[in-house]
Amino acid sequence: MRTRFEERTRSGSEDRGAPGFRSLLAARPHLALTAVGLAVEAVPLARVAVSHGTPTWVYSAAAIHTRYRAMSVALAETGLDARIHYALKANDSLAVVTQLARQGAGADVVSDGERRIARQAGIAPRDIVFSGVGKTEAELRAALADGVGQINVESAEELAMLSAIARGMGVTAKVALRINPDVDAGTHAKITTGLAENKFGIPSTDALALYSHAAALPGIVPVGLAMHIGSQITSLAPFRSAYSLLAALAREVRSAGLPIALLDIGGGLGIPYAGEEVPSASAYAAMVKETLGALGLRLVVEPGRWIVGPAGVLLARVVLQKQGEHRRFVILDAAMNDLIRPSLYDAWHGILPVTPARWRAPLSPADVVGPVCETGDTFASARPLPDLGPGELVAILDAGAYGAVMSSTYNARPLAAAVMVSGTADAVIRPRQSFEAMRAGEVLPPWLGPLLPPPER
């Protein structure tokens, strides 16, 4: 389901509902407008562009620290026995994951690659939850060999496969059954995961029987129930409905005399991309206590976007401004291969000019687009913006989650650089990919013979 705001901004009508530059800035304390332009913490983005080029991902270490702590404190103040496991799918940068690991986060991973990143970042195997609807035999073997603390099983078929693997390896898998509550999270259709029509989880009506079956399987120890209903959820109502069902199922498991130690309640709490009202960490934690606190079970919470989304911007440079017959186009050197969310999810991202003078200039509607050969390569439609000539810099906001991690080399465009900022310091955490690195490993089949030198001009 698209929000009304997303429907309006993608319809081609003027983006009159967009918050102004000052409003966007005020809601993001890690950003500042200085005499030399927009800055992340105390690092001017113009300096980043000179030092590292564009497009470049820029992450605020302070924002990541602050948001993780806010969620951690909110949960602790309720008295809940709750542990945060950061969802690497939001942003798997080694620097980001390492910072969170050193703040005490565990990890929620959905592939062997993410598990390996979590381990590189210093997260102990016991603090890793392995989720995902299509774990391969090789991935499960690697997870069991590493001793991951919890595997979230999504089907009876996966449970049987895991039992056979664990038995063959002579180990025991600690398992939580992921339940599909058939709850509409009220978010975009492509990121809702808790409806019966979605591929995720076990129907709630099958939960007790499968849990009992798991308890009898060799190589399996059921430790709890898991649930994740979607991403970018901006109301507590869907969580409340899902968690209430989860609590009822936990009571059924207990009444059947089966052991249960924890509830994995997933993530999905949204952020205010366009100034929407979203629940605070404290409001979310209070709702968790209200629905699940009486059970006395350990809780696993898996935020991703909420922690890292606001902490990142995509810094881009204007290639040129083009006046069409009916529309003004601002063409950036960033594209949908860098940030695909607007194309894929109709997502709205704030866009701020970096130069202070542009904040005082007259505004008119502009379509902000990239150079990729797709009409869908669009960051904003009819967005009120000043005149932005070649070489101007802009920052695309709230790009810390599902940005770099979803980027590609479509149109043979190398991956952008990534920089982390802390106070007045900035450091490259992923160098800009070279053309040679992008194409490394490609070979011709034998029947084409050796690669010939390029023809002369």
Side-chain angles (χ1 to χ4, degrees):
M1 166 189 315
R2 295 178 185 171
T3 66
R4 286 186 299 244
F5 194 91
E6 286 168 339
E7 289 284 5
R8 182 173 68 249
T9 58
R10 297 294 291 175
S11 68
S13 60
E14 284 195 22
D15 196 355
R16 294 189 180 92
F21 296 162
R22 298 283 176 183
S23 176
L24 289 168
L25 184 67
R28 292 155 180 84
H30 57 290
L31 302 181
L33 185 64
T34 71
V36 295
L38 190 64
V40 174
E41 298 189 32
V43 174
L45 286 173
R47 187 180 95 191
V48 173
V50 170
S51 300
H52 308 296
T54 56
T56 294
W57 306 96
V58 186
Y59 304 120
S60 163
I64 295 169
H65 177 91
T66 299
R67 293 186 69 82
Y68 176 85
R69 178 165 172 75
M71 180 62 74
S72 181
V73 168
L75 291 167
E77 287 179 343
T78 65
L80 293 167
D81 179 11
R83 175 76 190 275
I84 295 175
H85 286 245
Y86 169 65
L88 267 73
K89 57 183 171 286
N91 185 324
D92 65 11
S93 163
L94 183 60
V96 169
V97 182
T98 299
Q99 177 177 331
L100 291 169
R102 292 180 182 176
Q103 286 185 251
D108 167 52
V109 307
V110 295
S111 71
D112 188 60
E114 287 189 352
R115 179 191 64 80
R116 293 172 68 176
I117 293 168
R119 297 289 283 115
Q120 281 183 313
I123 297 176
R126 65 178 178 276
D127 295 325
I128 296 176
V129 173
F130 194 0
S131 306
V133 71
K135 308 175 201 73
T136 67
E137 181 177 332
E139 287 179 316
L140 291 171
R141 285 186 180 279
L144 290 172
D146 197 28
V148 299
Q150 177 184 324
I151 297 176
N152 288 350
V153 167
E154 303 233 4
S155 65
E157 294 83 357
E158 184 184 19
L159 184 63
M161 180 172 69
L162 181 58
S163 173
I165 294 169
R167 185 174 70 249
M169 293 177 65
V171 299
T172 300
K174 294 179 180 179
V175 164
L177 299 188
R178 177 175 176 176
I179 308 304
N180 185 319
D182 196 21
V183 167
D184 186 351
T187 189
H188 193 284
K190 290 182 180 179
I191 51 175
T192 189
T193 61
L195 289 172
E197 66 198 51
N198 300 142
K199 66 182 179 180
F200 301 96
I202 297 156
S204 58
T205 50
D206 296 342
L208 181 59
L210 192 59
Y211 199 97
S212 178
H213 178 61
L217 283 175
I220 299 292
V221 173
V223 295
L225 300 170
M227 189 175 284
H228 178 70
I229 61 171
S231 188
Q232 186 50 19
I233 301 169
T234 56
S235 165
L236 292 179
F239 289 118
R240 185 174 285 108
S241 296
Y243 295 169
S244 296
L245 174 61
L246 192 61
L249 290 174
R251 293 188 181 98
E252 288 184 18
V253 168
R254 275 182 169 167
S255 296
L258 297 166
I260 182 168
L262 64 85
L263 296 176
D264 182 336
I265 61 174
L269 188 61
I271 61 174
Y273 286 98
E276 310 94 319
E277 287 199 15
V278 300
S280 66
S282 295
Y284 173 76
M287 179 275 301
V288 172
K289 182 174 183 179
E290 174 193 333
T291 53
L292 301 172
L295 295 168
L297 295 172
R298 182 160 51 92
L299 301 179
V300 175
V301 186
E302 297 167 347
R305 181 199 312 265
W306 195 89
I307 294 174
V308 297
V313 303
L314 177 58
L315 178 63
R317 192 178 294 278
V318 176
V319 176
L320 57 85
Q321 188 168 240
K322 171 183 173 180
Q323 184 59 55
E325 185 174 358
H326 302 294
R327 309 180 76 87
R328 174 168 67 109
F329 296 95
V330 175
I331 303 172
L332 306 180
D333 61 0
M336 64 185 291
N337 73 291
D338 300 302
L339 179 63
I340 199 172
R341 293 191 71 254
S343 300
L344 186 61
Y345 300 135
D346 297 339
W348 194 96
H349 285 263
I351 300 175
L352 296 181
V354 170
T355 305
R358 295 292 172 260
W359 287 56
R360 301 185 295 271
L363 306 180
S364 63
D367 288 3
V368 183
V369 301
V372 160
C373 292
E374 303 273 354
T375 301
D377 182 24
T378 300
F379 294 113
S381 296
R383 182 72 58 87
L385 288 170
D387 184 65
L388 292 167
E392 293 276 1
L393 295 170
V394 298
I396 302 176
L397 305 183
D398 304 318
Y402 305 105
V405 77
M406 296 179 75
S407 57
S408 74
T409 58
Y410 183 46
N411 276 194
R413 291 171 50 84
L415 297 175
V419 169
M420 183 171 277
V421 166
S422 180
T424 59
D426 63 276
V428 174
I429 59 174
R430 186 181 75 183
R432 187 173 309 281
Q433 190 180 40
S434 67
F435 175 81
E436 291 74 20
M438 178 179 66
R439 308 305 289 183
E442 289 200 49
V443 295
L444 296 180
W447 56 84
L448 287 180
L451 191 64
L452 302 175
E456 294 184 4
R457 296 179 63 180

